[in-house]
Each structure stands twice: as C-alpha cells, then as structure tokens.
Amino acid sequence: MILEPEKFRSFELAGWQEIPAGYHDAFGPLTSQAIEPLLDAVRLKKGQSFLDIASGPGYVAAAAAKRGATVLGIDFSAAMVAHAQRLHPGVEFRDGDAEALPCGNGLFDAAVMNFGILHLGQPEKALLEAYRVLRTGGRFAFSVWAGPEETLGFGIVLHAVELHGEPRVELPEGPPFFRYSDADECKRGLLVAGFESPSVTKVAQTWRLPAGDGLFNAMKDSTVRTAGLLRAQKPTVLQKIRDELRASVEKYTKGDFVELPMPAWVASGQKT
Ligand SMILES: C[S@@+](CC[C@H](N)C(=O)[O-])C[C@H]1O[C@@H](n2cnc3c(N)ncnc32)[C@H](O)[C@@H]1O
C-alpha cells in the first residue's frame, strides 16, 4: 500500500466541502456523545483557552464555550467553518489544517480532536501540532471509532461490500480507517508526539437513524471515504448492498428508528 497524503487530503477536502448539512443531520447526534468525555479528559475549566481541531459543525467548541472556556475551532473545510459559524455565532471558527495549525506555540490550555484523526493523511503530524500549540501542562484528547466488529454502522456496511461488491476500489490511499481503533496504537501515537501519561477509555455511543434506508443514506451521502467506496460500486451492486443493509438493520429497529452501537475510544495525554 503506497500512501498518497496530498491526493488523500484533496479527496477528503472535496468530500467535506459537499456535506456539512448532511453530516450535521446524520452524524451530529452521534459524534456529540463524545463531547463530555473529551472535555473531561482534558479537564477543561472555566477561563481556559481551548482549541477544537477538525471542528466540523463545531459541537465540541460550542460545549467548551458553555463551560466558560475561550474557544477557537479550526477545520480545513471552509464550508464546515461557515456551517459551524452559523450554528454557533458566539464562537470563533477559522480555516486551517490539523497537520499545520495556523497558531503560535504554547497558546492553549487544552485541545481536542473529535473523530478527526481517522481523516488525516498524516495523523502523526497532527499529533505533533497539537503538542506544539499547547502550553506546558496542557492536555490533548482525541476520539476515534472502535473497530467495525463493535461499531455496527461500519461493520454492517463493510460486510455488505465484502459480500456483494468490490472492496478494493480506486480511491487515494490514506492510512487505515481503523488504525487508531486500538488502545495501544492511540497510546503509542500520543507518546511518539511527546505526550506523557497517555490514557484511553471506551465510550458507549448509540446511533439513531431512520429505519429502512437510514444507514445506507447516511453512509452514501454524509461521509467521505465510505461514500467513495459505495459510489464506486456498479448500480446493480449498490442496490444489492442497499438491500443487504436494510435486512441487516432490521433486528436493531424499534418502530421508526434503528439504534446501532457505535462505541468510541477517547485517548488523552499531557504536555509536561
Ligand atoms: C468526522 S468530522 C468530525 C467533525 C467534528 N469534530 C464532530 O465533532 O463531529 C471530520 C472533520 O475533520 C475535518 N478535517 C479532515 N481533514 C482535516 C485536516 N487535515 N485539517 C483540518 N480539518 C480536517 C473535516 O472537514 C471534518 O469537518
């Protein structure tokens, strides 16, 4: 596998530019479940300076502002930044790359990245950048999905593609989607970047989607890499995958909604 960080970045950026509203509807209620564990992991207190990296629609930034922090949210998608600014007019958001943050050294008491690291071509650079912008004693935390055997939303889709489709489509090669879905890899990443006392905990999360095609639509219209995988399938194959998804979510359906387990890891460390 030859990684293509620049091509991968362009592919991700083009994808995120298209989907702020769809992401907000489909994923917002899910990724928001990691906010309090992240803010607790960095021990955020009133009056502290706080950076939300890959802030998307700005959920963590807004929650940190509610805790009384001085907050900046940074995302490389101008469309996401605009969406976040509309949702949270009292919080500051700015365009910027997680791998080259547009911030000086040692500025923040705390920083987090909620489900951002798995979208980066060079996540090691982003971990170094988070370290650089924190003051000594500052804390950093990130969240990632648990593996597909536990995050059923991903597991069901990947299984359906394995069964009916072509899992190795031509997309710009990025790091493995589930690379950090492993407590040891999270700790290793933090230690290599210079953080001390890394700690990793699992957070239970539930994804509530419309019954029937809710999962298929969310993955096809409101993601980047998984959407790329689905959209690259032939139409007849895509229909089979869709049918497979409808059948697979049935046992998780209650009335008009599907409820899927989507646990996350929350990893944190301190700059000492
Ligand atoms: C899964 S969303 C997470 C959004 C948000 N943190 C949340 O809590 O839901 C990933 C976000 O990472 C952003 N992103 C991806 N690569 C990035 C990069 N290199 N630098 C900054 N932001 C990036 C995307 O634009 C998108 O908003």
Side-chain angles (χ1 to χ4, degrees), residues 16 23 31 54-56 59 75-76 80 96-98 114-115 119-120:
W16 291 110
Y23 177 84
T31 63
S55 48
Y59 312 126
D75 197 288
F76 78 163
M80 274 293 186
D97 198 315
N114 196 21
F115 299 104
H119 296 287
L120 305 177

Side-chain angles (χ1 to χ4, degrees), residues 131-168:
Y131 187 88
R132 179 181 67 77
V133 302
L134 283 173
R135 67 162 169 82
T136 302
R139 301 188 72 89
F140 171 64
F142 68 89
S143 58
V144 281
W145 306 110
E149 62 291 343
E150 294 181 83
T151 46
L152 295 193
F154 291 114
I156 286 171
V157 174
L158 296 177
H159 179 65
V161 174
E162 285 283 340
L163 270 184
H164 301 289
E166 170 52 77
R168 279 161 291 279

Side-chain angles (χ1 to χ4, degrees), residues 78-158:
M80 274 293 186
V81 168
H83 195 79
Q85 204 64 81
R86 270 195 302 278
L87 288 176
H88 318 289
V91 179
E92 184 183 351
F93 294 95
R94 209 185 286 167
D95 287 17
D97 198 315
E99 294 167 2
L101 289 170
C103 311
N105 298 344
L107 286 183
F108 297 94
D109 297 305
V112 309
M113 182 157 47
N114 196 21
F115 299 104
I117 198 162
L118 61 150
H119 296 287
L120 305 177
Q122 300 175 92
E124 302 84 357
K125 273 195 180 174
L127 293 172
L128 285 169
E129 280 292 88
Y131 187 88
R132 179 181 67 77
V133 302
L134 283 173
R135 67 162 169 82
T136 302
R139 301 188 72 89
F140 171 64
F142 68 89
S143 58
V144 281
W145 306 110
E149 62 291 343
E150 294 181 83
T151 46
L152 295 193
F154 291 114
I156 286 171
V157 174
L158 296 177

